[in-house]
């Protein structure tokens, strides 16, 4: 067990209710054999996942972004979370994102990026998800027991096309099926992770407009700042 600095980082991202917490809980049982680690959970409005981690014996922190973009909230606070991991003597920190929109990009360079996506979100889902899937190192497909083999193969094909560089795995956060392969993939990448995480893999969604500052009225008269209009064809 290494207690060196800096702590290594794994970012777990994915759409809402894709099974991120269940995947982390199952994987943590294997990670605990070789690592002293903690988990930080980012949420948007509310969440009890940090309590779930603590109940499982895992040190955890949680943060609620509230009215702020959860991606920006993550980027603003992940440094302090890594400092917390250092103070605790952890050699590893697992960051679980809020259930993010498809455009979000909560992965850092010099870290392991995992995207969890559930197969019942639709066969076209991999093609609709942006940086959190396209910039991931490992993509975990969940809930595949709820669809046919043909749907599994098509979904996996579209996932590979969306991110040809990533390792694509099927895993079940309830039964633990596929978790061993995920753990092996993580350990392999951890052994090659040397530098402290310091840079986003992809720019985050941008907005500094009147609605960011509390405007509620709609229309061009009230829309100011960093805005974008649709082209409407009559």
């Amino acid at each position: 067990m290494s207690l060196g600095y800096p702590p290594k980082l794994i970012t777990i991202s994915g759409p809402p209710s894709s099974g991120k917490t269940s995947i982390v809980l199952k994987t943590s049982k294997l990670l605990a054999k070789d690592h002293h680690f903690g988990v930080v959970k980012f949420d948007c409005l509310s969440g009890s996942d940090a309590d779930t981690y603590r109940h499982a014996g895992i040190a955890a922190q949680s943060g609620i972004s509230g009215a702020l973009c959860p991606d920006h909230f993550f980027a603003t606070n992940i440094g302090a979370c890594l400092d917390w991991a250092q103070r605790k003597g952890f050699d590893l920190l697992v960051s679980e994102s809020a259930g993010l929109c498809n455009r979000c990009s909560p992965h850092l360079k010099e870290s392991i990026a995992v995207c969890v996506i559930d197969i019942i979100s639709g066969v076209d889902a991999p093609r609709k998800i942006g940086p959190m899937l396209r910039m991931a190192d490992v993509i975990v497909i969940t809930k595949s027991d709820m669809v046919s083999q043909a749907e599994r193969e098509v979904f996996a094909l579209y996932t590979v096309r969306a991110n040809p560089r990533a390792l694509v795995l099927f895993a079940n956060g309830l039964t633990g099926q596929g978790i061993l392969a995920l753990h092996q993939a993580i350990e392999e990448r951890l052994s090659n992770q040397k530098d402290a995480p310091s840079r986003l893999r992809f720019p985050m969604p941008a907005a500094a407009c009147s609605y960011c500052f509390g405007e509620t009225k709609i229309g061009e008269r009230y829309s100011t700042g960093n805005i974008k209009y649709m082209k409407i064809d009559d």
Side-chain angles (χ1 to χ4, degrees):
M1 178 181 296
S2 171
L3 295 178
Y5 179 80
K8 297 182 178 182
L9 176 67
I10 304 172
T11 53
I12 311 289
S13 69
S17 301
S18 56
K20 299 182 294 296
T21 301
S22 296
I23 292 295
V24 174
L25 283 170
K26 289 293 184 182
T27 309
S28 67
K29 295 179 180 180
L30 299 176
L31 289 172
K33 295 180 180 179
D34 298 301
H35 300 282
H36 186 41
F37 70 97
V39 175
V40 57
K41 173 61 190 286
F42 293 93
D43 265 312
C44 293
L45 299 177
S46 64
S48 58
D49 290 335
D51 292 332
T52 302
Y53 286 124
R54 295 185 190 109
H55 184 72
I58 303 170
Q61 296 285 339
S62 64
I64 305 295
S65 64
L68 299 178
C69 163
D71 227 5
H72 287 250
F73 184 73
F74 163 83
T76 305
N77 288 280
I78 189 62
C81 294
L82 285 164
D83 290 341
W84 168 74
Q86 178 193 3
R87 292 195 302 271
K88 297 288 287 186
F90 297 154
D91 67 305
L92 177 65
L93 178 66
V94 179
S95 168
E96 181 190 340
S97 75
L100 297 177
C101 71
N102 292 343
R103 172 55 182 81
C104 289
S105 51
H107 299 309
L108 301 179
K109 294 182 178 180
E110 305 96 16
S111 66
I112 300 172
V114 179
C115 179
V116 180
I117 178 174
D118 68 279
I119 202 168
I120 61 174
S121 59
V123 70
D124 289 327
R127 298 190 291 188
K128 296 179 179 179
I129 297 179
M132 72 177 175
L133 183 144
R134 297 177 186 273
M135 305 296 288
D137 301 312
V138 180
I139 301 171
V140 181
I141 301 173
T142 60
K143 305 179 185 179
S144 61
D145 56 319
M146 302 177 68
V147 301
S148 67
Q149 179 62 29
E151 289 174 295
R152 284 168 53 102
E153 293 177 2
V154 172
F155 194 92
L157 174 63
Y158 284 176
T159 302
V160 171
R161 286 179 176 175
N163 185 346
R165 301 176 298 100
L167 174 65
V168 178
L169 302 171
F170 288 93
N172 189 312
L174 299 179
T175 66
Q177 182 178 3
I179 295 299
L180 179 59
L182 173 60
H183 174 251
Q184 291 173 340
I186 287 174
E187 289 292 354
E188 178 182 340
R189 286 159 177 78
L190 280 175
S191 65
N192 296 322
Q193 184 176 324
K194 297 179 175 61
D195 298 324
S198 61
R199 188 179 296 271
L200 291 166
R201 294 194 179 197
F202 195 85
M204 292 187 294
C209 67
S210 51
Y211 299 106
C212 292
F213 297 101
E215 180 62 76
T216 59
K217 295 181 180 180
I218 61 173
E220 291 189 24
R221 178 179 176 183
Y222 305 101
S223 302
T224 60
N226 185 7
I227 55 179
K228 183 178 181 180
Y229 292 112
M230 293 174 57
K231 180 181 179 181
I232 306 296
D233 295 323
D234 292 325

